[in-house]
Amino acid sequence: MSGLVCNSQTIINAERLNHEDSLVVALSFLYNGNYGNTTTNQFGITPIIAKIGINNDYKLFGGYNILRSGTETLLNSGFVHARHNYKLTDKLKTFEFYQLQFNELILLNKREVFGVGLQYSIIPDTTLTFSLGSGIIQENEFLNPRSIPIGEKLNTFYIRVTFVGNFEWNINDKLRLNNVVYYQPYVNNIKDYRLLNDFNLSISIIKNISFILSSTLRYDNESPSTLKPIDLVNSIELNFSF
């Protein structure tokens, strides 16, 4: 089971949490180099609990991060995400989730999201899979008033459409490649959208320990004027599963 993107993103990639075991408990330690709105070195921890059933999947995971920018340390980045999937057929399943998040790096005091939708496996295979999903999310955001120019929106209560494409290739028993794309436009203004591309390569060292190399590109078309619209995150993660 791979880890998660939980740094300067407003979109959390839950598609990495795919596993065939009935119960998985994992703990990830990671290092990120962030090059975008700021240059940071980041250390973090991510706990994961997932129960995979015949028809129902339950996942609960979170993350907390320490970020350093020069000599300054920021201790204000974290999230929790609860998710359920119900398998309607071998190829079609539902998804329902709740997410709570905060991140000082992108001026986010609080982000609360509720979402529902469907996901369809176009290529369901043991070594190569590709799926597409779509749904509706309710997004409530509260930005830092001290860092947002006067006249710009501080709080938003938006309904967005979410689209997700997930490609996964189990190259062999040691290597696993995964790429996920999220696109989330605002229903009242399609020019206001978020885009996330998350690529990761998992390298198994021994049975319960693996390295995860990832590169994540985030684009926010309507970001606050004090932020750049693009963030690029490269990370090296050490993952322990039990």
Side-chain angles (χ1 to χ4, degrees):
M1 178 173 289
S2 298
L4 300 159
V5 175
C6 57
N7 31 64
S8 64
Q9 310 304 322
T10 53
I11 303 174
I12 301 298
N13 180 9
E15 301 305 318
R16 291 194 194 181
L17 290 181
N18 295 322
H19 208 279
E20 296 179 355
D21 293 348
S22 59
L23 179 64
V24 174
V25 179
L27 185 64
S28 298
F29 300 94
L30 56 86
Y31 166 79
N32 287 336
N34 189 352
Y35 309 95
N37 292 299
T38 186
T39 300
T40 64
N41 291 304
Q42 177 180 359
F43 302 88
I45 183 171
T46 304
I48 299 167
I49 300 175
K51 187 179 187 304
I52 311 301
I54 297 175
N55 293 317
N56 293 278
D57 298 340
Y58 301 93
K59 301 167 185 176
L60 178 63
F61 50 95
Y64 186 78
N65 295 272
I66 298 173
L67 297 100
R68 297 180 182 273
S69 179
T71 58
E72 185 179 5
T73 301
L74 307 176
L75 300 174
N76 194 27
S77 177
F79 76 96
V80 62
H81 186 110
R83 195 176 193 89
H84 170 259
N85 299 105
Y86 180 76
K87 298 171 186 175
L88 298 170
T89 68
D90 289 340
K91 293 186 177 182
L92 185 65
K93 65 180 179 181
T94 69
F95 65 82
E96 306 85 35
F97 71 88
Y98 169 76
Q99 178 180 306
L100 182 64
Q101 181 182 7
F102 62 95
N103 194 324
E104 188 172 342
L105 191 64
I106 55 172
L107 313 181
L108 184 64
N109 283 353
K110 179 182 177 182
R111 182 175 190 254
E112 190 174 28
V113 183
F114 305 84
V116 296
L118 294 172
Q119 191 164 7
Y120 183 77
S121 295
I122 298 176
I123 306 176
D125 189 79
T126 55
T127 58
L128 185 67
T129 62
F130 178 65
S131 66
L132 293 175
S134 180
I136 296 291
I137 62 175
Q138 171 65 52
E139 171 193 85
N140 306 325
E141 283 194 355
F142 304 86
L143 301 180
N144 187 343
R146 294 175 297 177
S147 303
I148 303 298
I150 296 175
E152 293 192 18
K153 292 182 179 179
L154 291 175
N155 307 325
T156 55
F157 303 88
Y158 285 170
I159 295 177
R160 293 183 183 271
V161 181
T162 181
F163 300 97
V164 57
N166 182 23
F167 171 79
E168 186 174 311
W169 181 21
N170 292 299
I171 302 172
N172 53 45
D173 59 351
K174 298 291 184 181
L175 298 175
R176 175 176 172 267
L177 183 149
N178 177 252
N179 193 82
V180 179
V181 178
Y182 288 89
Y183 171 62
Q184 296 181 346
Y186 175 32
V187 294
N188 289 347
N189 180 13
I190 61 173
K191 294 182 180 180
D192 182 348
Y193 65 89
R194 273 95 181 257
L195 182 68
L196 176 76
N197 188 87
D198 183 33
F199 170 86
N200 72 93
L201 177 66
S202 177
I203 305 171
S204 178
I205 305 172
I206 59 177
K207 182 179 179 181
N208 296 320
I209 301 177
S210 60
F211 275 111
I212 300 169
L213 310 177
S214 68
S215 181
T216 304
L217 178 67
R218 164 191 168 267
Y219 180 79
D220 186 347
N221 192 54
E222 293 288 340
S223 62
S225 61
T226 50
L227 296 177
K228 295 179 181 179
I230 295 178
D231 273 317
L232 176 63
V233 180
N234 299 308
S235 66
I236 301 174
E237 178 179 342
L238 182 62
N239 182 273
F240 299 88
S241 60
F242 309 95

